[in-house]
PDB file of all heavy atoms in Angstrom:
ATOM      1  N   SER I  55       6.388 -17.430   2.366  1.00 97.00           N
ATOM      2  CA  SER I  55       6.348 -18.351   1.226  1.00 97.00           C
ATOM      3  C   SER I  55       5.663 -17.674   0.036  1.00 97.00           C
ATOM      4  O   SER I  55       4.855 -16.756   0.217  1.00 97.00           O
ATOM      5  CB  SER I  55       5.593 -19.628   1.585  1.00 97.00           C
ATOM      6  OG  SER I  55       4.210 -19.343   1.730  1.00 97.00           O
ATOM      7  N   PRO I  56       5.972 -18.115  -1.180  1.00 97.00           N
ATOM      8  CA  PRO I  56       5.290 -17.558  -2.353  1.00 97.00           C
ATOM      9  C   PRO I  56       3.767 -17.709  -2.262  1.00 97.00           C
ATOM     10  O   PRO I  56       3.026 -16.812  -2.660  1.00 97.00           O
ATOM     11  CB  PRO I  56       5.852 -18.364  -3.524  1.00 97.00           C
ATOM     12  CG  PRO I  56       7.189 -18.835  -3.047  1.00 97.00           C
ATOM     13  CD  PRO I  56       7.013 -19.059  -1.556  1.00 97.00           C
ATOM     14  N   GLU I  57       3.313 -18.820  -1.688  1.00 97.00           N
ATOM     15  CA  GLU I  57       1.871 -19.046  -1.544  1.00 97.00           C
ATOM     16  C   GLU I  57       1.253 -18.020  -0.592  1.00 97.00           C
ATOM     17  O   GLU I  57       0.173 -17.486  -0.856  1.00 97.00           O
ATOM     18  CB  GLU I  57       1.582 -20.461  -1.033  1.00 97.00           C
ATOM     19  CG  GLU I  57       1.966 -21.568  -1.997  1.00 97.00           C
ATOM     20  CD  GLU I  57       3.456 -21.898  -1.980  1.00 97.00           C
ATOM     21  OE1 GLU I  57       4.150 -21.519  -1.026  1.00 97.00           O
ATOM     22  OE2 GLU I  57       3.921 -22.528  -2.946  1.00 97.00           O
ATOM     23  N   GLN I  58       1.930 -17.773   0.500  1.00 96.00           N
ATOM     24  CA  GLN I  58       1.433 -16.801   1.468  1.00 96.00           C
ATOM     25  C   GLN I  58       1.430 -15.390   0.857  1.00 96.00           C
ATOM     26  O   GLN I  58       0.493 -14.631   1.039  1.00 96.00           O
ATOM     27  CB  GLN I  58       2.292 -16.837   2.730  1.00 96.00           C
ATOM     28  CG  GLN I  58       1.711 -16.053   3.884  1.00 96.00           C
ATOM     29  CD  GLN I  58       2.534 -16.233   5.158  1.00 96.00           C
ATOM     30  OE1 GLN I  58       3.672 -16.691   5.132  1.00 96.00           O
ATOM     31  NE2 GLN I  58       1.941 -15.863   6.277  1.00 96.00           N
ATOM     32  N   TYR I  59       2.473 -15.071   0.121  1.00 96.00           N
ATOM     33  CA  TYR I  59       2.562 -13.778  -0.559  1.00 96.00           C
ATOM     34  C   TYR I  59       1.399 -13.601  -1.532  1.00 96.00           C
ATOM     35  O   TYR I  59       0.744 -12.567  -1.555  1.00 96.00           O
ATOM     36  CB  TYR I  59       3.901 -13.672  -1.285  1.00 96.00           C
ATOM     37  CG  TYR I  59       4.049 -12.431  -2.111  1.00 96.00           C
ATOM     38  CD1 TYR I  59       4.266 -11.192  -1.511  1.00 96.00           C
ATOM     39  CD2 TYR I  59       3.961 -12.486  -3.499  1.00 96.00           C
ATOM     40  CE1 TYR I  59       4.398 -10.042  -2.265  1.00 96.00           C
ATOM     41  CE2 TYR I  59       4.089 -11.342  -4.270  1.00 96.00           C
ATOM     42  CZ  TYR I  59       4.317 -10.124  -3.643  1.00 96.00           C
ATOM     43  OH  TYR I  59       4.439  -8.994  -4.412  1.00 96.00           O
ATOM     44  N   MET I  60       1.114 -14.639  -2.316  1.00 97.00           N
ATOM     45  CA  MET I  60       0.014 -14.570  -3.280  1.00 97.00           C
ATOM     46  C   MET I  60      -1.337 -14.441  -2.572  1.00 97.00           C
ATOM     47  O   MET I  60      -2.242 -13.768  -3.056  1.00 97.00           O
ATOM     48  CB  MET I  60       0.028 -15.792  -4.198  1.00 97.00           C
ATOM     49  CG  MET I  60       1.242 -15.839  -5.116  1.00 97.00           C
ATOM     50  SD  MET I  60       1.484 -14.321  -6.076  1.00 97.00           S
ATOM     51  CE  MET I  60       0.092 -14.393  -7.159  1.00 97.00           C
ATOM     52  N   LYS I  61      -1.459 -15.080  -1.407  1.00 96.00           N
ATOM     53  CA  LYS I  61      -2.692 -14.964  -0.633  1.00 96.00           C
ATOM     54  C   LYS I  61      -2.887 -13.521  -0.159  1.00 96.00           C
ATOM     55  O   LYS I  61      -3.997 -12.994  -0.213  1.00 96.00           O
ATOM     56  CB  LYS I  61      -2.661 -15.927   0.559  1.00 96.00           C
ATOM     57  CG  LYS I  61      -3.954 -15.967   1.322  1.00 96.00           C
ATOM     58  CD  LYS I  61      -3.917 -17.021   2.419  1.00 96.00           C
ATOM     59  CE  LYS I  61      -5.224 -16.990   3.190  1.00 96.00           C
ATOM     60  NZ  LYS I  61      -5.271 -17.953   4.266  1.00 96.00           N
ATOM     61  N   TYR I  62      -1.814 -12.878   0.277  1.00 96.00           N
ATOM     62  CA  TYR I  62      -1.904 -11.466   0.662  1.00 96.00           C
ATOM     63  C   TYR I  62      -2.332 -10.616  -0.529  1.00 96.00           C
ATOM     64  O   TYR I  62      -3.201  -9.746  -0.411  1.00 96.00           O
ATOM     65  CB  TYR I  62      -0.577 -10.948   1.209  1.00 96.00           C
ATOM     66  CG  TYR I  62      -0.394 -11.181   2.686  1.00 96.00           C
ATOM     67  CD1 TYR I  62       0.511 -12.129   3.155  1.00 96.00           C
ATOM     68  CD2 TYR I  62      -1.104 -10.443   3.619  1.00 96.00           C
ATOM     69  CE1 TYR I  62       0.687 -12.354   4.506  1.00 96.00           C
ATOM     70  CE2 TYR I  62      -0.933 -10.652   4.978  1.00 96.00           C
ATOM     71  CZ  TYR I  62      -0.044 -11.609   5.413  1.00 96.00           C
ATOM     72  OH  TYR I  62       0.120 -11.816   6.755  1.00 96.00           O
ATOM     73  N   LEU I  63      -1.723 -10.844  -1.681  1.00 96.00           N
ATOM     74  CA  LEU I  63      -2.079 -10.073  -2.875  1.00 96.00           C
ATOM     75  C   LEU I  63      -3.548 -10.255  -3.243  1.00 96.00           C
ATOM     76  O   LEU I  63      -4.244  -9.292  -3.582  1.00 96.00           O
ATOM     77  CB  LEU I  63      -1.198 -10.465  -4.061  1.00 96.00           C
ATOM     78  CG  LEU I  63       0.249 -10.012  -4.013  1.00 96.00           C
ATOM     79  CD1 LEU I  63       0.973 -10.439  -5.283  1.00 96.00           C
ATOM     80  CD2 LEU I  63       0.356  -8.504  -3.818  1.00 96.00           C
ATOM     81  N   SER I  64      -4.014 -11.475  -3.158  1.00 96.00           N
ATOM     82  CA  SER I  64      -5.418 -11.752  -3.462  1.00 96.00           C
ATOM     83  C   SER I  64      -6.339 -11.054  -2.468  1.00 96.00           C
ATOM     84  O   SER I  64      -7.361 -10.476  -2.855  1.00 96.00           O
ATOM     85  CB  SER I  64      -5.651 -13.267  -3.441  1.00 96.00           C
ATOM     86  OG  SER I  64      -6.992 -13.559  -3.661  1.00 96.00           O
ATOM     87  N   SER I  65      -5.975 -11.104  -1.199  1.00 94.00           N
ATOM     88  CA  SER I  65      -6.782 -10.433  -0.169  1.00 94.00           C
ATOM     89  C   SER I  65      -6.805  -8.927  -0.383  1.00 94.00           C
ATOM     90  O   SER I  65      -7.847  -8.278  -0.191  1.00 94.00           O
ATOM     91  CB  SER I  65      -6.229 -10.746   1.220  1.00 94.00           C
ATOM     92  OG  SER I  65      -6.366 -12.107   1.511  1.00 94.00           O
ATOM     93  N   ILE I  66      -5.694  -8.359  -0.762  1.00 94.00           N
ATOM     94  CA  ILE I  66      -5.631  -6.922  -1.041  1.00 94.00           C
ATOM     95  C   ILE I  66      -6.552  -6.583  -2.202  1.00 94.00           C
ATOM     96  O   ILE I  66      -7.343  -5.636  -2.137  1.00 94.00           O
ATOM     97  CB  ILE I  66      -4.183  -6.494  -1.341  1.00 94.00           C
ATOM     98  CG1 ILE I  66      -3.331  -6.592  -0.086  1.00 94.00           C
ATOM     99  CG2 ILE I  66      -4.137  -5.082  -1.925  1.00 94.00           C
ATOM    100  CD1 ILE I  66      -1.837  -6.518  -0.342  1.00 94.00           C
ATOM    101  N   ARG I  67      -6.459  -7.361  -3.252  1.00 94.00           N
ATOM    102  CA  ARG I  67      -7.295  -7.133  -4.434  1.00 94.00           C
ATOM    103  C   ARG I  67      -8.778  -7.230  -4.077  1.00 94.00           C
ATOM    104  O   ARG I  67      -9.583  -6.380  -4.467  1.00 94.00           O
ATOM    105  CB  ARG I  67      -6.933  -8.159  -5.518  1.00 94.00           C
ATOM    106  CG  ARG I  67      -7.170  -7.715  -6.925  1.00 94.00           C
ATOM    107  CD  ARG I  67      -6.630  -8.704  -7.965  1.00 94.00           C
ATOM    108  NE  ARG I  67      -5.177  -8.831  -7.920  1.00 94.00           N
ATOM    109  CZ  ARG I  67      -4.505  -9.923  -7.520  1.00 94.00           C
ATOM    110  NH1 ARG I  67      -5.145 -11.007  -7.155  1.00 94.00           N
ATOM    111  NH2 ARG I  67      -3.191  -9.937  -7.523  1.00 94.00           N
ATOM    112  N   ASN I  68      -9.129  -8.242  -3.301  1.00 94.00           N
ATOM    113  CA  ASN I  68     -10.527  -8.420  -2.885  1.00 94.00           C
ATOM    114  C   ASN I  68     -11.008  -7.244  -2.044  1.00 94.00           C
ATOM    115  O   ASN I  68     -12.132  -6.768  -2.220  1.00 94.00           O
ATOM    116  CB  ASN I  68     -10.697  -9.726  -2.112  1.00 94.00           C
ATOM    117  CG  ASN I  68     -10.561 -10.938  -2.998  1.00 94.00           C
ATOM    118  OD1 ASN I  68     -10.736 -10.861  -4.212  1.00 94.00           O
ATOM    119  ND2 ASN I  68     -10.217 -12.056  -2.410  1.00 94.00           N
ATOM    120  N   PHE I  69     -10.163  -6.780  -1.135  1.00 92.00           N
ATOM    121  CA  PHE I  69     -10.547  -5.641  -0.302  1.00 92.00           C
ATOM    122  C   PHE I  69     -10.750  -4.390  -1.155  1.00 92.00           C
ATOM    123  O   PHE I  69     -11.745  -3.679  -1.002  1.00 92.00           O
ATOM    124  CB  PHE I  69      -9.491  -5.373   0.770  1.00 92.00           C
ATOM    125  CG  PHE I  69      -9.758  -4.106   1.528  1.00 92.00           C
ATOM    126  CD1 PHE I  69     -10.751  -4.066   2.493  1.00 92.00           C
ATOM    127  CD2 PHE I  69      -9.039  -2.962   1.255  1.00 92.00           C
ATOM    128  CE1 PHE I  69     -11.014  -2.888   3.186  1.00 92.00           C
ATOM    129  CE2 PHE I  69      -9.296  -1.781   1.929  1.00 92.00           C
ATOM    130  CZ  PHE I  69     -10.281  -1.742   2.905  1.00 92.00           C
ATOM    131  N   LEU I  70      -9.815  -4.107  -2.045  1.00 91.00           N
ATOM    132  CA  LEU I  70      -9.912  -2.897  -2.859  1.00 91.00           C
ATOM    133  C   LEU I  70     -11.116  -2.910  -3.790  1.00 91.00           C
ATOM    134  O   LEU I  70     -11.610  -1.848  -4.173  1.00 91.00           O
ATOM    135  CB  LEU I  70      -8.619  -2.690  -3.660  1.00 91.00           C
ATOM    136  CG  LEU I  70      -7.395  -2.340  -2.815  1.00 91.00           C
ATOM    137  CD1 LEU I  70      -6.154  -2.298  -3.685  1.00 91.00           C
ATOM    138  CD2 LEU I  70      -7.598  -1.034  -2.067  1.00 91.00           C
ATOM    139  N   ASN I  71     -11.606  -4.076  -4.114  1.00 92.00           N
ATOM    140  CA  ASN I  71     -12.792  -4.191  -4.962  1.00 92.00           C
ATOM    141  C   ASN I  71     -14.084  -4.305  -4.152  1.00 92.00           C
ATOM    142  O   ASN I  71     -15.159  -4.471  -4.717  1.00 92.00           O
ATOM    143  CB  ASN I  71     -12.661  -5.392  -5.899  1.00 92.00           C
ATOM    144  CG  ASN I  71     -11.615  -5.161  -6.966  1.00 92.00           C
ATOM    145  OD1 ASN I  71     -11.495  -4.061  -7.494  1.00 92.00           O
ATOM    146  ND2 ASN I  71     -10.843  -6.180  -7.282  1.00 92.00           N
ATOM    147  N   SER I  72     -13.985  -4.175  -2.836  1.00 92.00           N
ATOM    148  CA  SER I  72     -15.164  -4.302  -1.981  1.00 92.00           C
ATOM    149  C   SER I  72     -15.699  -2.930  -1.583  1.00 92.00           C
ATOM    150  O   SER I  72     -15.038  -1.905  -1.757  1.00 92.00           O
ATOM    151  CB  SER I  72     -14.817  -5.101  -0.719  1.00 92.00           C
ATOM    152  OG  SER I  72     -14.053  -4.301   0.173  1.00 92.00           O
ATOM    153  N   LYS I  73     -16.891  -2.953  -0.995  1.00 90.00           N
ATOM    154  CA  LYS I  73     -17.486  -1.712  -0.502  1.00 90.00           C
ATOM    155  C   LYS I  73     -16.716  -1.165   0.706  1.00 90.00           C
ATOM    156  O   LYS I  73     -16.744   0.029   0.965  1.00 90.00           O
ATOM    157  CB  LYS I  73     -18.949  -1.945  -0.123  1.00 90.00           C
ATOM    158  CG  LYS I  73     -19.839  -2.187  -1.322  1.00 90.00           C
ATOM    159  CD  LYS I  73     -21.279  -2.386  -0.906  1.00 90.00           C
ATOM    160  CE  LYS I  73     -22.134  -2.635  -2.145  1.00 90.00           C
ATOM    161  NZ  LYS I  73     -23.552  -2.808  -1.796  1.00 90.00           N
ATOM    162  N   LYS I  74     -16.039  -2.039   1.420  1.00 89.00           N
ATOM    163  CA  LYS I  74     -15.268  -1.608   2.589  1.00 89.00           C
ATOM    164  C   LYS I  74     -14.173  -0.610   2.205  1.00 89.00           C
ATOM    165  O   LYS I  74     -13.854   0.286   2.986  1.00 89.00           O
ATOM    166  CB  LYS I  74     -14.628  -2.796   3.283  1.00 89.00           C
ATOM    167  CG  LYS I  74     -15.605  -3.724   3.955  1.00 89.00           C
ATOM    168  CD  LYS I  74     -14.866  -4.888   4.582  1.00 89.00           C
ATOM    169  CE  LYS I  74     -15.823  -5.888   5.181  1.00 89.00           C
ATOM    170  NZ  LYS I  74     -15.124  -7.039   5.755  1.00 89.00           N
ATOM    171  N   ALA I  75     -13.609  -0.757   1.028  1.00 87.00           N
ATOM    172  CA  ALA I  75     -12.525   0.127   0.598  1.00 87.00           C
ATOM    173  C   ALA I  75     -13.024   1.533   0.322  1.00 87.00           C
ATOM    174  O   ALA I  75     -12.247   2.485   0.377  1.00 87.00           O
ATOM    175  CB  ALA I  75     -11.849  -0.448  -0.650  1.00 87.00           C
ATOM    176  N   HIS I  76     -14.312   1.682   0.062  1.00 85.00           N
ATOM    177  CA  HIS I  76     -14.868   3.006  -0.223  1.00 85.00           C
ATOM    178  C   HIS I  76     -14.638   3.976   0.933  1.00 85.00           C
ATOM    179  O   HIS I  76     -14.417   5.168   0.721  1.00 85.00           O
ATOM    180  CB  HIS I  76     -16.362   2.908  -0.546  1.00 85.00           C
ATOM    181  CG  HIS I  76     -17.015   4.232  -0.765  1.00 85.00           C
ATOM    182  ND1 HIS I  76     -16.755   5.003  -1.881  1.00 85.00           N
ATOM    183  CD2 HIS I  76     -17.861   4.935   0.007  1.00 85.00           C
ATOM    184  CE1 HIS I  76     -17.443   6.135  -1.780  1.00 85.00           C
ATOM    185  NE2 HIS I  76     -18.122   6.112  -0.644  1.00 85.00           N
ATOM    186  N   LYS I  77     -14.641   3.466   2.162  1.00 85.00           N
ATOM    187  CA  LYS I  77     -14.424   4.306   3.338  1.00 85.00           C
ATOM    188  C   LYS I  77     -13.059   4.988   3.297  1.00 85.00           C
ATOM    189  O   LYS I  77     -12.848   5.990   3.969  1.00 85.00           O
ATOM    190  CB  LYS I  77     -14.521   3.474   4.619  1.00 85.00           C
ATOM    191  CG  LYS I  77     -15.888   2.903   4.893  1.00 85.00           C
ATOM    192  CD  LYS I  77     -15.847   2.063   6.153  1.00 85.00           C
ATOM    193  CE  LYS I  77     -17.168   1.358   6.370  1.00 85.00           C
ATOM    194  NZ  LYS I  77     -17.135   0.490   7.551  1.00 85.00           N
ATOM    195  N   LEU I  78     -12.131   4.430   2.532  1.00 85.00           N
ATOM    196  CA  LEU I  78     -10.780   4.984   2.436  1.00 85.00           C
ATOM    197  C   LEU I  78     -10.578   5.812   1.166  1.00 85.00           C
ATOM    198  O   LEU I  78      -9.469   6.245   0.891  1.00 85.00           O
ATOM    199  CB  LEU I  78      -9.753   3.841   2.461  1.00 85.00           C
ATOM    200  CG  LEU I  78      -9.834   2.919   3.680  1.00 85.00           C
ATOM    201  CD1 LEU I  78      -8.869   1.754   3.524  1.00 85.00           C
ATOM    202  CD2 LEU I  78      -9.567   3.682   4.953  1.00 85.00           C
ATOM    203  N   SER I  79     -11.645   6.050   0.425  1.00 88.00           N
ATOM    204  CA  SER I  79     -11.522   6.765  -0.845  1.00 88.00           C
ATOM    205  C   SER I  79     -11.269   8.252  -0.627  1.00 88.00           C
ATOM    206  O   SER I  79     -11.562   8.816   0.429  1.00 88.00           O
ATOM    207  CB  SER I  79     -12.788   6.586  -1.687  1.00 88.00           C
ATOM    208  OG  SER I  79     -13.854   7.330  -1.133  1.00 88.00           O
ATOM    209  N   MET I  80     -10.752   8.902  -1.643  1.00 90.00           N
ATOM    210  CA  MET I  80     -10.488  10.333  -1.591  1.00 90.00           C
ATOM    211  C   MET I  80     -11.778  11.120  -1.389  1.00 90.00           C
ATOM    212  O   MET I  80     -11.806  12.103  -0.642  1.00 90.00           O
ATOM    213  CB  MET I  80      -9.787  10.778  -2.880  1.00 90.00           C
ATOM    214  CG  MET I  80      -9.377  12.234  -2.857  1.00 90.00           C
ATOM    215  SD  MET I  80      -8.144  12.635  -1.587  1.00 90.00           S
ATOM    216  CE  MET I  80      -6.695  11.932  -2.297  1.00 90.00           C
ATOM    217  N   ASP I  81     -12.855  10.702  -2.024  1.00 90.00           N
ATOM    218  CA  ASP I  81     -14.143  11.395  -1.875  1.00 90.00           C
ATOM    219  C   ASP I  81     -14.610  11.404  -0.421  1.00 90.00           C
ATOM    220  O   ASP I  81     -15.054  12.431   0.095  1.00 90.00           O
ATOM    221  CB  ASP I  81     -15.225  10.765  -2.753  1.00 90.00           C
ATOM    222  CG  ASP I  81     -14.993  11.012  -4.233  1.00 90.00           C
ATOM    223  OD1 ASP I  81     -14.306  11.996  -4.567  1.00 90.00           O
ATOM    224  OD2 ASP I  81     -15.508  10.221  -5.037  1.00 90.00           O
ATOM    225  N   VAL I  82     -14.523  10.273   0.227  1.00 87.00           N
ATOM    226  CA  VAL I  82     -14.942  10.182   1.630  1.00 87.00           C
ATOM    227  C   VAL I  82     -14.026  11.044   2.499  1.00 87.00           C
ATOM    228  O   VAL I  82     -14.479  11.774   3.380  1.00 87.00           O
ATOM    229  CB  VAL I  82     -14.950   8.716   2.112  1.00 87.00           C
ATOM    230  CG1 VAL I  82     -15.155   8.625   3.615  1.00 87.00           C
ATOM    231  CG2 VAL I  82     -16.021   7.924   1.371  1.00 87.00           C
ATOM    232  N   TRP I  83     -12.739  11.003   2.233  1.00 91.00           N
ATOM    233  CA  TRP I  83     -11.783  11.793   2.999  1.00 91.00           C
ATOM    234  C   TRP I  83     -12.065  13.289   2.847  1.00 91.00           C
ATOM    235  O   TRP I  83     -12.078  14.035   3.834  1.00 91.00           O
ATOM    236  CB  TRP I  83     -10.361  11.467   2.536  1.00 91.00           C
ATOM    237  CG  TRP I  83      -9.312  12.112   3.386  1.00 91.00           C
ATOM    238  CD1 TRP I  83      -8.818  11.666   4.569  1.00 91.00           C
ATOM    239  CD2 TRP I  83      -8.650  13.348   3.105  1.00 91.00           C
ATOM    240  NE1 TRP I  83      -7.884  12.553   5.043  1.00 91.00           N
ATOM    241  CE2 TRP I  83      -7.759  13.590   4.164  1.00 91.00           C
ATOM    242  CE3 TRP I  83      -8.730  14.264   2.073  1.00 91.00           C
ATOM    243  CZ2 TRP I  83      -6.947  14.706   4.218  1.00 91.00           C
ATOM    244  CZ3 TRP I  83      -7.915  15.390   2.120  1.00 91.00           C
ATOM    245  CH2 TRP I  83      -7.035  15.598   3.186  1.00 91.00           C
ATOM    246  N   ILE I  84     -12.308  13.732   1.625  1.00 93.00           N
ATOM    247  CA  ILE I  84     -12.596  15.146   1.368  1.00 93.00           C
ATOM    248  C   ILE I  84     -13.886  15.573   2.063  1.00 93.00           C
ATOM    249  O   ILE I  84     -13.943  16.632   2.690  1.00 93.00           O
ATOM    250  CB  ILE I  84     -12.659  15.424  -0.150  1.00 93.00           C
ATOM    251  CG1 ILE I  84     -11.253  15.330  -0.739  1.00 93.00           C
ATOM    252  CG2 ILE I  84     -13.275  16.784  -0.442  1.00 93.00           C
ATOM    253  CD1 ILE I  84     -11.210  15.365  -2.249  1.00 93.00           C
ATOM    254  N   ASN I  85     -14.923  14.766   1.964  1.00 91.00           N
ATOM    255  CA  ASN I  85     -16.188  15.100   2.626  1.00 91.00           C
ATOM    256  C   ASN I  85     -16.033  15.165   4.140  1.00 91.00           C
ATOM    257  O   ASN I  85     -16.605  16.040   4.790  1.00 91.00           O
ATOM    258  CB  ASN I  85     -17.289  14.109   2.236  1.00 91.00           C
ATOM    259  CG  ASN I  85     -17.777  14.346   0.827  1.00 91.00           C
ATOM    260  OD1 ASN I  85     -17.762  15.478   0.338  1.00 91.00           O
ATOM    261  ND2 ASN I  85     -18.199  13.284   0.171  1.00 91.00           N
ATOM    262  N   THR I  86     -15.276  14.270   4.705  1.00 90.00           N
ATOM    263  CA  THR I  86     -15.030  14.284   6.145  1.00 90.00           C
ATOM    264  C   THR I  86     -14.271  15.545   6.540  1.00 90.00           C
ATOM    265  O   THR I  86     -14.603  16.201   7.536  1.00 90.00           O
ATOM    266  CB  THR I  86     -14.235  13.028   6.569  1.00 90.00           C
ATOM    267  OG1 THR I  86     -14.968  11.865   6.193  1.00 90.00           O
ATOM    268  CG2 THR I  86     -13.964  13.018   8.064  1.00 90.00           C
ATOM    269  N   LEU I  87     -13.292  15.905   5.761  1.00 92.00           N
ATOM    270  CA  LEU I  87     -12.518  17.110   6.030  1.00 92.00           C
ATOM    271  C   LEU I  87     -13.391  18.357   5.926  1.00 92.00           C
ATOM    272  O   LEU I  87     -13.341  19.239   6.797  1.00 92.00           O
ATOM    273  CB  LEU I  87     -11.338  17.197   5.061  1.00 92.00           C
ATOM    274  CG  LEU I  87     -10.367  18.345   5.255  1.00 92.00           C
ATOM    275  CD1 LEU I  87      -9.738  18.302   6.634  1.00 92.00           C
ATOM    276  CD2 LEU I  87      -9.301  18.305   4.178  1.00 92.00           C
ATOM    277  N   LYS I  88     -14.222  18.426   4.893  1.00 92.00           N
ATOM    278  CA  LYS I  88     -15.119  19.574   4.732  1.00 92.00           C
ATOM    279  C   LYS I  88     -16.067  19.700   5.918  1.00 92.00           C
ATOM    280  O   LYS I  88     -16.270  20.794   6.448  1.00 92.00           O
ATOM    281  CB  LYS I  88     -15.933  19.456   3.436  1.00 92.00           C
ATOM    282  CG  LYS I  88     -15.145  19.796   2.197  1.00 92.00           C
ATOM    283  CD  LYS I  88     -15.988  19.994   0.963  1.00 92.00           C
ATOM    284  CE  LYS I  88     -16.947  18.908   0.647  1.00 92.00           C
ATOM    285  NZ  LYS I  88     -17.583  19.023  -0.677  1.00 92.00           N
ATOM    286  N   LYS I  89     -16.656  18.588   6.338  1.00 91.00           N
ATOM    287  CA  LYS I  89     -17.575  18.616   7.480  1.00 91.00           C
ATOM    288  C   LYS I  89     -16.861  19.094   8.742  1.00 91.00           C
ATOM    289  O   LYS I  89     -17.420  19.868   9.523  1.00 91.00           O
ATOM    290  CB  LYS I  89     -18.190  17.236   7.713  1.00 91.00           C
ATOM    291  CG  LYS I  89     -19.204  16.830   6.669  1.00 91.00           C
ATOM    292  CD  LYS I  89     -19.688  15.425   6.912  1.00 91.00           C
ATOM    293  CE  LYS I  89     -20.611  14.962   5.805  1.00 91.00           C
ATOM    294  NZ  LYS I  89     -21.005  13.558   5.948  1.00 91.00           N
ATOM    295  N   SER I  90     -15.640  18.643   8.936  1.00 90.00           N
ATOM    296  CA  SER I  90     -14.874  19.064  10.116  1.00 90.00           C
ATOM    297  C   SER I  90     -14.585  20.546  10.081  1.00 90.00           C
ATOM    298  O   SER I  90     -14.686  21.232  11.106  1.00 90.00           O
ATOM    299  CB  SER I  90     -13.550  18.279  10.201  1.00 90.00           C
ATOM    300  OG  SER I  90     -13.808  16.914  10.386  1.00 90.00           O
ATOM    301  N   ILE I  91     -14.220  21.075   8.928  1.00 90.00           N
ATOM    302  CA  ILE I  91     -13.938  22.500   8.791  1.00 90.00           C
ATOM    303  C   ILE I  91     -15.210  23.321   9.018  1.00 90.00           C
ATOM    304  O   ILE I  91     -15.179  24.323   9.722  1.00 90.00           O
ATOM    305  CB  ILE I  91     -13.329  22.806   7.400  1.00 90.00           C
ATOM    306  CG1 ILE I  91     -11.917  22.206   7.334  1.00 90.00           C
ATOM    307  CG2 ILE I  91     -13.299  24.304   7.131  1.00 90.00           C
ATOM    308  CD1 ILE I  91     -11.302  22.215   5.953  1.00 90.00           C
ATOM    309  N   LEU I  92     -16.298  22.863   8.461  1.00 88.00           N
ATOM    310  CA  LEU I  92     -17.567  23.579   8.651  1.00 88.00           C
ATOM    311  C   LEU I  92     -17.972  23.601  10.119  1.00 88.00           C
ATOM    312  O   LEU I  92     -18.473  24.614  10.623  1.00 88.00           O
ATOM    313  CB  LEU I  92     -18.671  22.971   7.797  1.00 88.00           C
ATOM    314  CG  LEU I  92     -18.526  23.184   6.287  1.00 88.00           C
ATOM    315  CD1 LEU I  92     -19.580  22.395   5.529  1.00 88.00           C
ATOM    316  CD2 LEU I  92     -18.598  24.670   5.944  1.00 88.00           C
TER     317      LEU I  92
END
């Protein structure tokens, strides 16, 4: 439904603006990769 679709969009927006999304950032990914290589 359009309402359900909008709820998903809102949830996505809220997640991307939260601290939880930082774990998926490029900076975190690069640092994890560097540590693994080291």
Side-chain angles (χ1 to χ4, degrees):
S55 70
E57 294 80 17
Q58 191 174 16
Y59 175 74
M60 293 307 292
K61 186 175 178 181
Y62 273 108
L63 288 182
S64 177
S65 295
I66 291 166
R67 208 173 295 111
N68 290 338
F69 172 76
L70 292 174
N71 290 321
S72 75
K73 290 181 180 181
K74 292 179 184 178
H76 176 70
K77 294 178 186 177
L78 304 174
S79 72
M80 185 64 74
D81 290 336
V82 171
W83 187 83
I84 289 171
N85 286 330
T86 302
L87 184 59
K88 283 193 308 190
K89 288 176 185 175
S90 296
I91 291 170
L92 291 173

